[in-house]
Amino acid sequence: EAQVTQNPRYLITVTGKKLTVTCSQNMNHEYMSWYRQDPGLGLRQIYYSMNVEVTDKGDVPEGYKVSRKEKRNFPLILESPSPNQTSLYFCASSQRGQLANYGYTFGSGTRLTVV
Amino acid sequence: GQNIDQPTEMTATEGAIVQINCTYQTSGFNGLFWYQQHAGEAPTFLSYNVLDGLEEKGRFSSFLSRSKGYSYLLLKELQMKDSASYLCAVDSNYQLIWGAGTKLIIKP
C-alpha cells in the first residue's frame, strides 16, 4: 500500500530533551515536507526537500532540523524542544508530475506535547 | 506577504449544495489544492487546479480564476460524512501556502 508513515503518533517530552520524528514514504517520491498545525493557524511549512541531500527552509524552521540522506526518509529533529513546539505535525510527500491525480500524500500525524 | 483567506465556518443541510470560497495572494503560483481534513486526522487530497476553469470529480467540483486570485470548492448532495474542515492551499514556488481551513457543519 502506498503510504507515508510517521512515528510516533503521540509523544510527550520535557523541555530540552532531543527528539526525532521519523517519516518514511514507499512511493519513490522526490519531494517531501514537514508541517505543523495549530488551531486557527492552519498548516505551516517547517522544511521541505526537493530530492536527496537537498533541503530548504519553510515558513517556520526555527528550532527544527531535517536531513534527507536517502529518498524514502525525511526525519524531523528537535534538538532542544520548547513548549511552543507543542503541536500536531504532518509529513507529506509528492511527485511533481502526479500532483493533478494525487496531490500531496500526508502521514497520519504526530501529536507532540512539550512540558 | 503571502496569504490565503477562506471562511472560518459554514453550515449546510444534508442533501444540499455548498460552495466554499478561497482567495489568495502569493508570490508564485504553481497550482491550487483543496483538501479535506476530519478532526485529528491527516488531510486527504480532493482536487488540484492549475488552469482556469472548473474541475469536476463526482460530488465535488473545484473552480479557479488565476486573474482574480480566487477558487471555490463546490460540494453537492451533502452527506453527514462531509462534516470536516476544507483546506485551500497554493503551491507558490514549491512551497505550499495553506489557508486556515473552513469547518463545514452538516445538519440533518
Side-chain angles (χ1 to χ4, degrees), chain B residues 42-55:
Chain B
T44 55
F45 172 70
L46 292 177
S47 68
Y48 172 68
N49 294 69
V50 64
L51 299 175
D52 290 352
L54 187 68
E55 295 276 347

Side-chain angles (χ1 to χ4, degrees), chain A residues 41-87:
Chain A
L41 295 179
L43 284 158
R44 293 180 291 169
Q45 191 172 47
I46 303 171
Y47 270 95
Y48 64 99
S49 170
M50 302 285 284
N51 213 324
V52 177
E53 301 291 1
V54 179
T55 61
D56 281 293
K57 296 178 180 179
D59 294 321
V60 288
E62 294 77 21
Y64 304 95
K65 288 175 58 178
V66 293
S67 67
R68 188 90 182 274
K69 296 178 181 177
E70 49 190 344
K71 203 171 191 178
R72 63 184 294 122
N73 295 322
F74 191 45
L76 180 69
I77 303 158
L78 284 73
E79 294 272 1
S80 183
S82 61
N84 64 13
Q85 293 178 298
T86 293
S87 187

Side-chain angles (χ1 to χ4, degrees), chain A residues 5 10 13 15 38 41 46-47 55 62 73 91 96 101 107:
Chain A
T5 303
Y10 301 92
T13 190
T15 299
D38 302 289
L41 295 179
I46 303 171
Y47 270 95
T55 61
E62 294 77 21
N73 295 322
C91 179
R96 295 307 290 183
N101 293 324

Side-chain angles (χ1 to χ4, degrees), chain A residues 99-115:
Chain A
L99 287 177
N101 293 324
Y102 303 106
Y104 290 75
T105 302
F106 283 80
S108 299
T110 296
R111 187 168 292 281
L112 173 65
T113 301
V114 184
V115 298

Side-chain angles (χ1 to χ4, degrees), chain B residues 25-102:
Chain B
Q25 288 181 303
T26 57
S27 58
F29 184 85
N30 298 109
L32 184 143
F33 298 85
W34 282 98
Y35 276 79
Q36 180 190 63
Q37 186 178 28
H38 288 98
E41 298 182 9
T44 55
F45 172 70
L46 292 177
S47 68
Y48 172 68
N49 294 69
V50 64
L51 299 175
D52 290 352
L54 187 68
E55 295 276 347
E56 297 187 75
K57 282 188 179 180
R59 293 189 299 115
F60 293 5
S61 302
S62 57
F63 171 83
L64 174 67
S65 169
R66 288 172 297 171
S67 63
K68 295 182 179 179
Y70 168 70
S71 173
Y72 67 72
L73 179 69
L74 191 70
L75 293 76
K76 304 176 184 176
E77 302 169 14
L78 286 170
Q79 302 174 10
M80 297 304 293
K81 68 179 182 180
D82 296 331
S83 292
S85 288
Y86 291 86
L87 313 180
C88 173
V90 170
D91 186 336
S92 174
N93 301 323
Y94 301 106
Q95 289 190 46
L96 273 186
I97 312 298
W98 294 83
T102 299

